[in-house]
Amino acid sequence: MTHAERRAPTASYRLQLQPGFGFAEAADAVPYLAGLGVSHLHLSPVLQAVPGSRHGYDVVDHGRISAELGGEAGLRALAARARAHGLGLIADIVPNHMAAPTPLHLNRALWQALREGPASPFAAWFDVDWDAQQGRVLLPVLGDRLGVVLADGGFSLASNDGPDGDEQVLRYGPHVFPLRPGTESLPLPELLRRQWYRPAWWRLAGTELNYRRFFTVNDLIAVRVELPEVFDATHALLLRLHAEGVLDGFRVDHPDGLADPRGYLRRLRDATGGAHVVVEKILTGPETLPADWPCAGTTGYDALRQVDGVLTDGAGVVRALRPPAAQATAAALRGRAELIRPEGDLDAEVARLVREVEAACADDPARSDHPAWAVREAVAGLLAAFPRYRPYPVPGEPLPDADAGALRAEPDESLLPAPFTATAALVKQLLLDPGSPASLRARFAQTAAAVAAKGVEDTAFYRHHPLLSLNEVGGDPAHPGVGPEEFHGYCARIARDWPATMTALSTHDTKRSADARARLAVLAELPEEWLVEQAAWSALAPGGGLPQDPDAEDLVFQTALAAWPIDGERLAAVALKSVREAKLRTTWTDPDPAYEDAVRALALSLPATPEPAARITAFADRLAPYARVNTLGSALLHLTMPGAPDLYQGSEFPLYTLVDPDNRGIVTFPPPGAATGLAAEKAALTRTALHLRAGLDPKADYRPWATPSPHALAFLRDESLLTVVTRLPYGLERAGGWRDATLTLPEGVWSEALTGRHGLTGAVPLAELLGPLPAALLTRL
């Protein structure tokens, strides 16, 4: 199939491939998904990953399609069946990192780099600061200090091992390491000193690691895809499959980790002849996607925030669920700062930036006499305060205005004591100067992305959670809710600037699925009642809840409600992950067993103890009518707003999943007609909207449509498709319902597609239009 014959997605369906659901199972689902009305299947990463991987982002071989998923033959068979049903394939690609697996020889490129050192042709693949460890790569894999491991006989030599079974190797437990040629016969202590790597106690990773990671994940090592030879080597297979018509487009994972996202996207565009590409770019607040990025748009977290926001009563959150703005902002700043303090999880990344600054100043006497500690404080201060994910420096170019303004906005005197403000000014100037070393500017940007992701989403969002549905990737809990005018403004801008962008409500990375958030959003409309309910649950729970940590108790209660009914083990797993991410009373690396036992006991008790279980069930039933309105309204907004909607597997039915791995299970497709109640309503709405959207011009105009009530939201697409949804349903009920409010339809005669009503014209009572269903989709006859 030529590029000219390919079409951009009108809608896609994300399948989370894994052992047990590979290409063959996806092919079996093709007739169902084609009937649903999507135009493309959106596949999680397809390259060879660590054996047993449930997500595929831990690639070990860019030259092979995953054997566990069915290999290249299986992917081609899936593509052929999809094509026969009119569907294309979008593949998720991972340019930022590869796995540093156990055993290491699963990643041949990394194995050879560690065996041969900086002279290896593969050494340039990986983002390593070789000088920081005297020419070696720190591998933080030992369970104790090196001396203890040596004394205990933890290392051994083995023959006939390695990727081809023909090498002598070093072993430590399940770990296998290559040996530098010529060192095989040395005494063990000397042999260890002579390797191109340094096996080290795992606790040294935060402070001494000298390779860039994906965030703080030690076994995902960053790849220097900015080098043309590395791009070519890591993309050759996917580009060939695109050229041959097997793949139609790509989702780019974590572009914020790349040294030059724009340059990467330009290279990908040139290599594919302009394939459809969307990027997992997290936009913060009013931030927009850089206009010079050659792609179709984002993967949709910005749309998620808008849809959730316009259906959430922000005033209710502010009124009763703890004033969020100042607390949320402070929690985010604390979360960032803790990561980059000395001995914090990203201390090693900050230390590398300090070395970059020192190298940039080394030959310039005018930039001397700036102590390393002051440089470190200045770097850390700028990282903690940067208001978005990261800046976007391009070698030899000034920073974009918004990025430069954000850096300049932090006053130097707030970073360092008065005698050292010149150091802060120096660091800032180096980052702003297009003539500064490209590696310094890029490294700051890459580190800023890790600080934002881990400090805010994976720390602050688990600490401050007046309403958990606000604490989503790309969310802004300091500013809860989105007004209709802001929503319409966003949609109009997307229709104008990024009409083919992906939109999403649930993904493999959302902390709570769309319908779980839709239920929680009701709490913003009755916050006082929710606070009373929480107190009752706490009193009924064995042990009186979690009196030693009311914030964690609140998190457990909201999580339980979001996914109710929920198995106790499933709730406990999410609760423990949440309090470890919060890093207040326990952490992944230094758990507090007594505290974790208390959290686990509370989570297990809620579904298992009759009194709290009955009370939670009754409250979930109380919310159900309003949650139904939010579920159907958010689905219809998602399916008809500008952009191409991406449906996460199973989300055409009500889906109440929580943070990964809970949300990455194998999807099952029910037989036709099996759904009832809300499941049948959502499935029918999804199918109807997708089939109507398939005939809509992707560049169709967007026009807000006036409604007589703040509880109705409407917009017109291409003058032929009118979406109307109910918002804030509890408030609507308290106001007495729609009463005699009428919606004036655009000129002409209209049909309501979700219920099959025809001949609608002029002024239509909202009680009649939104009575059978709280959402309506009208087409002009």
Side-chain angles (χ1 to χ4, degrees), residues 8 220 340 410 419 560 578 594 609 633-634 670 688 731 735 737:
L220 293 176
I340 52 182
E410 184 70 11
S578 300
T609 309
S634 61
T688 300

Side-chain angles (χ1 to χ4, degrees), residues 188-514:
L188 189 56
E190 179 64 16
L191 180 146
L192 287 170
R193 282 193 293 270
R194 293 287 305 279
Q195 300 311 311
W196 291 113
Y197 54 86
R198 175 192 164 196
W201 189 28
W202 65 269
R203 285 188 179 273
L204 299 186
T207 55
E208 296 190 34
L209 200 69
N210 63 327
Y211 63 83
R212 187 168 61 85
R213 305 165 281 179
F214 171 73
F215 298 155
T216 57
V217 183
N218 297 336
D219 55 7
L220 293 176
I221 184 170
V223 174
R224 298 188 66 200
V225 75
E226 65 270 19
L227 300 179
E229 64 272 23
V230 178
F231 176 93
D232 292 342
T234 55
H235 287 64
L237 174 57
L238 293 174
L239 294 176
R240 173 170 62 81
L241 292 172
H242 175 266
E244 294 172 2
V246 176
L247 301 176
D248 295 273
F250 301 102
R251 171 204 185 266
V252 176
D253 180 67
H254 189 46
D256 279 324
L258 305 181
D260 179 11
R262 188 189 74 181
Y264 169 81
L265 291 171
R266 287 180 173 179
R267 188 170 286 122
L268 187 60
R269 175 199 60 195
D270 294 344
T272 61
H276 180 84
V277 171
V278 292
V279 292
E280 190 202 18
K281 173 71 195 87
I282 311 303
L283 301 171
T284 306
E287 183 184 10
T288 58
L289 192 64
D292 58 357
W293 284 18
C295 62
T298 74
T299 54
Y301 285 107
D302 46 325
L304 181 156
R305 179 176 179 267
Q306 293 291 324
V307 173
D308 276 10
V310 82
L311 300 180
T312 298
D313 183 4
V317 178
V318 173
R319 183 177 74 249
L321 297 180
R322 294 175 289 173
Q327 293 180 32
T329 300
L333 288 172
R334 281 196 303 273
R336 288 169 175 261
E338 288 172 12
L339 280 171
I340 52 182
R341 70 178 187 273
E343 301 180 7
D345 288 347
L346 292 174
D347 182 27
E349 282 74 5
V350 179
R352 187 169 180 182
L353 275 171
V354 172
R355 293 193 295 273
E356 292 269 6
V357 171
E358 291 175 334
C361 298
D363 297 327
D364 187 351
R367 290 174 169 174
S368 63
D369 292 345
H370 291 278
W373 73 264
V375 173
R376 192 198 187 288
E377 288 296 308
V379 168
L382 290 170
L383 287 170
F386 196 76
R388 293 186 301 282
Y389 253 60
R390 57 164 278 178
Y392 293 95
V394 173
E397 296 184 14
L399 277 179
D401 290 344
D403 294 342
L407 278 174
R408 291 191 181 102
E410 184 70 11
D412 297 340
E413 57 268 21
S414 71
L415 302 177
L416 287 166
F420 298 97
T421 56
T423 302
L426 167 70
V427 171
K428 199 178 293 185
Q429 183 56 40
L430 286 170
L431 297 173
L432 290 166
D433 184 357
S436 293
S439 60
L440 167 61
R441 301 171 82 217
R443 185 86 50 214
F444 179 87
Q446 291 166 311
T447 306
V451 171
K454 295 302 297 180
V456 180
E457 292 168 14
D458 289 344
T459 301
F461 280 8
Y462 287 105
R463 293 179 176 181
H464 181 71
H465 36 76
L467 187 64
L468 271 179
S469 56
L470 301 173
N471 291 21
E472 198 48 79
V473 180
D476 186 8
H479 301 93
V482 167
E485 287 188 7
E486 181 181 345
F487 175 83
H488 288 311
Y490 167 84
C491 289
R493 181 175 57 78
I494 292 299
R496 182 190 69 232
D497 298 338
W498 302 98
T501 191
M502 182 180 282
T503 63
L505 288 186
S506 296
T507 78
H508 64 286
D509 274 337
T510 42
K511 291 178 167 55
R512 284 150 289 274
S513 61

Side-chain angles (χ1 to χ4, degrees), residues 154 651 655 673 694 714 740:
S651 65
L655 186 66
D740 58 355

Side-chain angles (χ1 to χ4, degrees), residues 637-684:
L637 291 177
H638 176 219
L639 295 170
T640 58
M641 69 191 295
D646 184 59
L647 280 75
Y648 190 62
Q649 56 181 26
S651 65
E652 66 271 33
F653 301 100
L655 186 66
Y656 301 95
T657 55
L658 304 169
V659 70
D660 68 278
D662 182 77
N663 61 4
R664 297 182 181 182
I666 293 176
V667 66
T668 57
F669 301 102
T676 60
L678 178 59
E681 290 178 335
K682 189 179 184 188

Side-chain angles (χ1 to χ4, degrees), residues 166-186:
D166 58 355
E167 294 184 38
Q168 190 170 15
V169 301
L170 178 69
R171 283 189 168 275
Y172 165 73
H175 299 280
V176 183
F177 308 100
L179 292 177
R180 181 176 178 177
T183 65
E184 295 89 346
S185 60
L186 293 173

Side-chain angles (χ1 to χ4, degrees), residues 539-605:
L540 291 171
L546 201 64
Q548 68 269 46
D549 193 344
D551 284 338
E553 180 188 85
D554 168 65
L555 189 147
V556 173
F557 286 164
Q558 288 197 56
T559 302
L561 179 62
W564 196 264
I566 185 171
D567 172 78
E569 289 290 347
R570 182 177 161 220
L571 178 59
V574 174
L576 287 176
K577 174 170 182 164
S578 300
V579 295
R580 288 170 180 167
E581 295 285 10
K583 296 178 275 290
L584 292 174
R585 301 285 297 271
T586 189
T587 69
W588 292 103
T589 55
D590 291 295
D592 180 330
Y595 172 77
E596 291 196 354
D597 286 347
V599 173
R600 176 174 168 79
L602 173 62
L604 291 173
S605 74

